[in-house]
Amino acid sequence: RGSSGALRPRAHMPGRAPQPRVVPSAAWPTLKAATCEAPSNGWEAAIVVEVLPGFSESLEHLVLDQSFEIDGPADKSAVLVVDQGITCAVPSGSVPLVLRNLTLRSAAAPALVIVGPCSIEYCDISSDVMGVQVASGSRDVPYLAKNNIHGCPVGIGFAGAVHTRLDRNVLKGNSCAVAVMGLEIREGESSPLAALAESHFAGSLKADVQLLSLGVCGAAGNLHRIGAESEVLLPEAGRPSAVALKTDRGTAILRFDGWRLRAEVVEGAEPVGFGLLTSHGRWQTEPLPGAGDRRMLERRRDFARLAAPGGQQALLVVAPEASAPASWSRREGADAGDMSPGVAEAAAADLGQWLEEALGSSPPGLRSGLEDRCVALLGVSEAISFALAQNLTPALSQPHFVLFASATGEVRVAWLAFATDQIQSGPGRGTCLVRLISEDLNGLNAEESAKAGVWMDFIASAAEETDMSQLIARSTGLFRRATDSGDWQAVLRAS
């Protein structure tokens, strides 16, 4: 086989090549007989075995450990029924074994078990256990081309990795078309399933791809193992999907996009059962718009709606040394429903004035762009982005926002909302409580950081309280203490 994967012409070796072994014939009545006897003339290429149309043979088990090229008829009418399957066990480094144009059936084991160099082409394969089991992890990469693998609990099974060249195979009507056991990947982006891209999947009853006993190696070198009882199912191979799985060290979040995989591990966290949310974690917003960015007008309109006089009072502010957190709204003077550019600009200006008064003479005062950074986070746009990134419904329920300004000049934004997911929603499903708090928006490098996106810490848990206003009311003292002490993680403990 050449480097492109195409079959090379049969080798012309010194001396006379042996005649093809024809099955059935007087010399070779069965395929087992034709493959049990190794060539005796020192011929180094694969020995050709031609199987005639309509031939059928039933065997308990067949081990192929010599380099044969077994050709069936183009109509695949040569049938091998092997209860315990065929083991392809040519020694590493040998001329590959070739099976071509055969119909292979097995009842009690994988139809084919591959543990050495081989090429399986144009075969029709089915089994009550597994179509093809690839156990080879050596330098000899098996090649499967244009096979029809169907009606199996598992079409192709791999151990450790997809270490096989797959060329336009059809996997149809299997429970799981492909299963990979013990795959280990690294945190970040990779393509561990890219070899499947040229396969055709159809009618998988459970999933196109199943991953079992997965391991994810974090950036710090810690290996997160996902228990054997947990499986990753990709119902439609190549389609975007995502899942959060409990590991022995925390949670692994896997995001599939085409044949690309992005893996993230969260140490010490557990999935909460809603989308991809974990019990705690960090999330980065999109790059925040600044002055002159037309997206900023939409953010100011969002803010003007949030801070409309007589609205839902969903924005609280906490200033240094103030008696208690207080609801905040823009000044009167425009209709509450008026979201014209002038009203939106005025609302942002009102917030800027509040920040000036709250920070007063506190060092460092207002750093450049602080007003815009606060406005960008005080609205639904980034909250929707968070929900979508976590596979939640974009409409968070009863969202409330808290703006903190401390005596040391720190400015932070917190969100509190109820969330759920569409995939598992239903009667009795309930919601989870999500709490987020931003990094310092008035820090020395805040303006540059916002261009990449603001980091927010979050905590999520099943919601016991269903009225956000009651939760906020019970948390005002905690908000006050967090502002005075600088213990911002206390905001996430609001309950």
Side-chain angles (χ1 to χ4, degrees):
R1 184 173 305 284
S3 60
S4 65
L7 286 175
R8 294 193 182 107
R10 293 171 184 168
H12 295 283
M13 305 299 291
R16 184 177 179 182
Q19 292 295 315
R21 299 179 180 182
V22 178
V23 177
S25 65
W28 315 107
T30 65
L31 181 63
K32 185 170 185 177
T35 56
C36 280
E37 184 177 331
S40 58
N41 64 346
W43 184 252
E44 297 178 8
I47 300 301
V48 176
V49 178
E50 293 184 1
V51 185
L52 299 181
F55 173 78
S56 179
E57 183 173 353
S58 296
L59 298 166
E60 182 68 19
H61 187 209
L62 180 62
V63 177
L64 299 174
D65 55 5
Q66 301 290 331
S67 296
F68 289 99
E69 185 172 335
I70 304 173
D71 270 318
D75 63 1
K76 303 180 183 64
S77 61
V79 179
L80 296 178
V81 180
V82 188
D83 283 348
Q84 297 298 323
I86 300 171
T87 300
C88 304
V90 175
S92 178
S94 302
V95 175
L97 167 72
V98 178
L99 302 181
R100 186 184 295 117
N101 289 328
L102 298 171
T103 293
L104 307 176
R105 303 283 183 261
S106 176
L112 285 170
V113 176
I114 298 174
V115 293
C118 73
S119 180
I120 313 298
E121 304 164 15
Y122 299 98
C123 290
D124 188 278
I125 302 170
S126 63
S127 168
D128 292 341
V129 177
M130 184 183 295
V132 180
Q133 180 180 356
V134 182
S136 173
S138 70
R139 60 186 177 87
D140 302 300
V141 178
Y143 179 69
L144 275 65
K146 296 186 177 181
N147 300 289
N148 180 25
I149 303 171
H150 59 94
C152 308
V154 174
I156 308 177
F158 297 96
V162 184
H163 38 66
T164 301
R165 291 201 59 215
L166 300 170
D167 182 8
R168 292 166 287 176
N169 297 282
V170 175
L171 296 118
K172 184 176 182 180
N174 303 289
S175 181
C176 289
V178 172
V180 186
M181 173 74 76
L183 178 67
E184 290 190 3
I185 57 177
R186 288 194 170 275
E187 186 173 17
E189 291 194 1
S190 61
S191 302
L193 303 177
L196 304 177
E198 297 300 320
S199 302
H200 176 69
F201 299 87
S204 298
L205 304 179
K206 184 177 181 180
D208 285 348
V209 179
Q210 178 188 41
L211 305 179
L212 297 163
S213 298
L214 186 69
V216 183
C217 187
N222 295 329
L223 181 62
H224 286 243
R225 292 203 174 277
I226 298 166
E229 71 281 358
S230 297
E231 59 183 2
V232 178
L233 297 177
L234 305 181
E236 295 184 64
R239 288 288 189 92
S241 63
V243 64
L245 296 166
K246 181 178 174 59
T247 75
D248 57 348
R249 293 176 175 270
T251 297
I253 299 173
L254 308 178
R255 292 181 171 89
F256 297 88
D257 186 5
W259 296 107
R260 297 289 296 170
L261 167 62
R262 181 168 184 81
E264 174 188 355
V265 295
V266 186
E267 299 281 349
E270 294 191 2
V272 297
F274 292 86
L276 303 178
L277 275 176
T278 54
S279 54
H280 67 263
R282 300 192 80 207
W283 173 74
Q284 188 176 28
T285 71
E286 294 294 321
L288 299 186
D293 189 324
R294 60 184 179 182
R295 295 177 300 157
M296 197 64 225
L297 176 58
E298 286 303 316
R299 303 298 177 90
R300 288 175 177 167
R301 284 175 173 162
D302 286 346
F303 175 70
R305 293 186 188 94
L306 174 68
Q312 296 182 349
Q313 306 291 300
L315 172 60
L316 278 74
V317 294
V318 188
E321 302 177 2
S323 58
S327 296
W328 189 90
S329 61
R330 56 185 167 87
R331 286 178 293 184
E332 302 283 353
D335 186 281
D338 183 357
M339 297 301 153
S340 63
V343 170
E345 295 290 343
D350 288 349
L351 181 68
Q353 182 176 340
W354 181 87
L355 288 167
E356 288 184 5
E357 294 172 354
L359 294 175
S361 59
S362 300
L366 276 71
R367 296 192 188 276
S368 175
L370 175 61
E371 174 190 307
D372 288 338
R373 292 191 289 278
C374 292
V375 167
L377 291 182
L378 291 170
V380 298
S381 295
E382 291 301 331
I384 290 174
S385 295
F386 172 78
L388 293 176
Q390 303 298 328
N391 275 22
L392 304 170
T393 57
L396 298 178
S397 177
Q398 303 181 53
H400 280 60
F401 302 84
V402 186
L403 176 61
F404 298 91
S406 75
T408 60
E410 288 191 63
V411 176
R412 297 176 185 253
V413 168
W415 306 342
L416 296 90
F418 296 115
T420 189
D421 54 60
Q422 291 178 316
I423 298 173
Q424 302 179 37
S425 60
R429 172 64 179 154
T431 60
C432 63
L433 172 63
V434 183
R435 294 152 286 183
L436 302 93
I437 189 163
S438 74
E439 60 183 310
D440 182 12
L441 302 178
N442 199 36
L444 180 62
N445 299 313
E447 188 169 19
E448 284 301 312
S449 296
K451 293 177 181 178
V454 171
W455 284 100
M456 302 187 78
D457 292 329
F458 69 84
I459 283 181
S461 59
E464 299 178 1
E465 174 65 68
T466 59
D467 185 344
M468 183 62 73
S469 62
Q470 292 297 317
L471 188 148
I472 294 291
R474 293 200 302 270
S475 303
T476 54
L478 188 147
F479 293 160
R480 172 77 273 146
R481 291 193 297 274
T483 306
D484 294 341
S485 67
D487 180 13
W488 300 108
Q489 292 299 308
V491 175
L492 301 180
R493 298 193 292 269
S495 62

